[in-house]
Amino acid sequence: MQIEIECCVFFPCQADDLSDSFASGDEDNGKSAISNKNINNEINGNWLSSSSTSIHEARLKAKAKRRLRKNSSRDSGRGDSLSDNGEIIRGTSAAPTSPKSKLLDRKSRLGKGRGLPKKGGAGGKGVWGRSGEVYEPEEVDEKDPNYDEAQENCVYETVVPPLDERVFEKTVTPIVQEYFEHGDTNEVAELLAELNLGPMRSEVPSLAVSLALEAKASHRELTSRLLADLCGSVLSRSDMENSFDKLLRELPDLVLDTPGAPQLVGQFIARAVSDQILSEGYIEGYKGRVDCEYTRAALDRAAVLLKMSMGGLRIDNQWGTGGGQRPVIQLIKEMNLLLKEYILSGDSKEAERCLRDLEVPHFHHEFVYEAIVMVLESKGEKTFKMVLQLLKSLSTSSIITVDQMRRGYERVYMDIAEINIDVPRAYFILEQFVDESFSMGIIDVKLRDLCPCRGRKRFVSEGDGGVVKLESY
């Protein structure tokens, strides 16, 4: 008896067929035995339950998503994508979702906002707010743990510490020295008002006078004007009196640097009394209690000048006016007096000193002009030779520069026609003087050749046709 046994043979499925079967989700009716829930599936020789099948599907979906991201960043949107249920959709034009593009994106990743800049454009490092924004004063919160009731009525001001003795001299000395250059008392008053002088206020006049003792006469005149302008606005009369008292006490030390300090300080005191910055009884208050001979000499000098002022002497002009502050007419008169004194004395060193004391190096061409005109108007050879020696000495010592010397000669060349009206031999004398100046090295050859020559008329013989010829000599 033969028995026939029917066997069922199961063949393992390929990986590609599994992916297609899971993606489509359809099974043939002839395989109903495999779809039975009570029968385990077999993949690659392994029996899988329903839970392991779902894990395998999740792995396949994750693998497909990774492949999609990789292709999207490389193909710019061309590639595969997944649907909501995990199906692979091929050939779609979905927007790329590259991680690199997300890092460079400055918009909100939460999907909120309109893409506007942060803080309305008022953010950023070192920025307090948008331009043009005005902040209102903050109200004090009394509940703040750092709140202090005593700070509500505080007033904050910039406080300048008072100057001590060491800083005072370093600060005020440059101000006075610059004043000697520009001569503007208002600027000095403004600079001193910005400083907190404190107890050193009375030291300003004594410092200015001590600096003026070693300076020129014009600087002493500027110092007297400065003291008169500072009294009342910056300094008081008591400050002036205390300052001059200190000067009188320091005269033994000032004499070591300036031998004529007692007479000069006496002139400053007389000028201060005349300008009403010292009381009229200031000198009388020292009578009977002066032991120092220098102090007594200064007070005697001041008293003499004040008595002379009652007779018509102008103390306000005792220092004189130096430099360009003098009128031109006054400078011309002083130069003429200087030349006349030199012709009488013959002392060239004294003439050099007087010319230097005028403090007008820009006006020395006038001195050269007046000297040459004096030679043209003179009748003897003494003035001719002495003026040549003086100009030679001034040129060698560089008191009169080459430019000023040239300008003086050129001015004479221009005015020689008018001078010749009063002095008929002016052309002849000028030509001789210019030749001697060139031979002594006072002028150069170019300036000598510029000397004008006067033409004269001369009738010649009949053989020349009676033509008038011009000659020069």
Side-chain angles (χ1 to χ4, degrees):
M1 183 176 184
Q2 295 180 353
I3 300 175
E4 296 180 358
I5 299 174
E6 184 178 358
C7 297
C8 295
V9 180
F10 295 92
F11 295 94
C13 299
Q14 300 295 330
D16 296 337
D17 296 338
L18 279 175
S19 62
D20 295 337
S21 64
F22 285 123
S24 61
D26 297 333
E27 295 290 341
D28 296 337
N29 295 329
K31 298 179 180 179
S32 59
I34 300 176
S35 62
N36 192 356
K37 296 181 180 180
N38 296 325
I39 301 175
N40 295 332
N41 295 327
E42 183 183 1
I43 298 176
N44 294 332
N46 298 322
W47 294 94
L48 301 175
S49 61
S50 61
S51 61
S52 62
T53 304
S54 62
I55 293 173
H56 183 66
E57 292 178 356
R59 290 177 179 175
L60 293 176
K61 290 180 181 180
K63 184 177 181 181
K65 287 182 179 180
R66 288 196 298 270
R67 185 171 65 251
L68 179 61
R69 292 195 191 103
K70 188 174 182 180
N71 294 335
S72 63
S73 62
R74 184 171 54 204
D75 300 338
S76 301
R78 297 190 302 273
D80 299 339
S81 63
L82 292 176
S83 61
D84 295 337
N85 56 3
E87 297 179 354
I88 300 175
I89 303 175
R90 300 180 181 277
T92 59
S93 60
T97 57
S98 174
K100 187 176 181 180
S101 63
K102 289 183 178 181
L103 290 175
L104 299 177
D105 187 10
R106 299 179 65 87
K107 297 183 181 179
S108 175
R109 296 188 179 91
L110 299 178
K112 300 179 182 179
R114 295 174 295 169
L116 299 177
K118 188 176 181 181
K119 297 183 182 179
K125 184 177 180 181
V127 179
W128 289 14
R130 61 171 57 92
S131 60
E133 185 175 357
V134 179
Y135 294 93
E136 298 180 356
E138 297 183 0
E139 297 181 359
V140 180
D141 187 8
E142 297 182 357
K143 297 180 180 181
D144 189 355
N146 295 326
Y147 172 74
D148 187 2
E149 185 179 359
Q151 294 183 357
E152 291 189 6
N153 299 326
C154 291
V155 179
Y156 298 94
E157 296 180 356
T158 303
V159 178
V160 180
L163 299 178
D164 56 2
E165 186 175 358
R166 293 176 298 176
V167 180
F168 169 78
E169 187 173 354
K170 295 180 180 180
T171 305
V172 180
T173 300
I175 297 176
V176 177
Q177 291 177 348
E178 290 179 1
Y179 167 71
F180 290 159
E181 300 296 332
H182 57 72
D184 188 1
T185 58
N186 294 327
E187 183 176 351
V188 179
E190 293 176 359
L191 293 176
L192 293 178
E194 296 176 357
L195 302 175
N196 187 4
L197 297 175
M200 304 299 295
R201 188 179 302 274
S202 60
E203 302 289 334
V204 175
S206 60
L207 178 61
V209 172
S210 61
L211 292 175
L213 293 179
E214 301 176 359
K216 303 176 183 178
S218 58
H219 295 165
R220 296 165 191 157
E221 173 64 23
L222 290 174
T223 304
S224 297
R225 294 181 184 179
L226 178 63
L227 298 181
D229 292 342
L230 292 180
C231 184
S233 59
V234 180
L235 305 175
S236 61
R237 180 174 290 185
S238 60
D239 294 333
M240 291 290 179
E241 292 181 355
N242 295 334
S243 182
F244 278 99
D245 291 341
K246 181 182 178 182
L247 281 173
L248 292 175
R249 291 193 303 268
E250 294 179 350
L251 272 178
D253 297 332
L254 295 176
V255 171
L256 300 177
D257 297 330
T258 308
Q263 289 74 21
L264 296 176
V265 172
Q267 292 181 7
F268 273 110
I269 294 175
R271 177 68 179 270
V273 174
S274 177
D275 293 337
Q276 297 180 358
I277 61 177
L278 290 179
S279 60
E280 296 182 357
Y282 178 79
I283 300 176
E284 299 295 332
Y286 275 93
K287 281 188 175 181
R289 57 187 189 91
V290 177
D291 297 331
C292 180
E293 57 177 347
Y294 300 116
T295 303
R296 189 181 301 108
L299 294 175
D300 292 342
R301 176 66 174 171
V304 170
L305 289 176
L306 289 175
K307 289 180 180 180
M308 294 175 64
S309 65
M310 298 178 182
L313 177 65
R314 294 183 56 186
I315 299 181
D316 57 351
N317 197 25
Q318 63 176 344
W319 304 114
T321 54
Q325 299 177 359
R326 301 184 182 184
V328 176
I329 298 176
Q330 182 181 357
L331 287 174
I332 295 175
K333 290 181 178 179
E334 292 185 3
M335 289 180 178
N336 285 325
L337 291 175
L338 192 156
L339 288 170
K340 292 178 180 179
E341 182 180 355
Y342 166 70
I343 297 298
L344 294 175
S345 63
D347 190 356
S348 60
K349 297 297 182 181
E350 180 67 16
E352 291 179 7
R353 187 190 63 80
C354 294
L355 183 62
R356 191 184 296 108
D357 291 342
L358 291 179
E359 300 178 11
V360 283
H362 61 282
F363 202 59
H364 284 172
H365 60 86
E366 179 66 28
F367 181 82
V368 178
Y369 175 83
E370 296 293 337
I372 299 176
V373 171
M374 182 177 291
V375 171
L376 298 179
E377 294 177 352
S378 64
K379 297 181 180 180
E381 295 183 358
K382 178 183 176 181
T383 305
F384 187 95
K385 294 180 180 180
M386 293 185 67
V387 171
L388 277 175
Q389 293 294 333
L390 178 61
L391 293 181
K392 175 63 178 178
S393 176
L394 295 174
S395 176
T396 304
S397 60
S398 298
I399 295 177
I400 297 181
T401 61
V402 177
D403 181 65
Q404 293 293 318
M405 190 72 71
R406 171 181 289 273
R407 290 183 61 183
Y409 274 82
E410 288 177 350
R411 286 184 57 192
V412 177
Y413 295 167
M414 294 175 60
D415 297 342
I416 190 61
E418 298 180 0
I419 298 174
N420 187 69
I421 298 175
D422 299 330
V423 183
R425 300 179 69 250
Y427 279 96
F428 178 72
I429 300 174
L430 178 61
E431 186 176 359
Q432 289 183 341
F433 188 84
V434 170
D435 291 338
E436 291 293 333
S437 300
F438 172 72
S439 62
M440 297 178 66
I442 300 174
I443 60 175
D444 54 6
V445 64
K446 294 182 179 179
L447 189 58
R448 184 200 65 177
D449 295 340
L450 292 176
C451 180
C453 298
R454 178 187 179 185
R456 64 175 183 175
K457 297 181 180 180
R458 180 175 66 87
F459 287 94
V460 296
S461 62
E462 295 179 356
D464 295 333
V467 180
V468 176
K469 294 185 178 182
L470 298 178
E471 292 185 0
S472 61
Y473 60 90

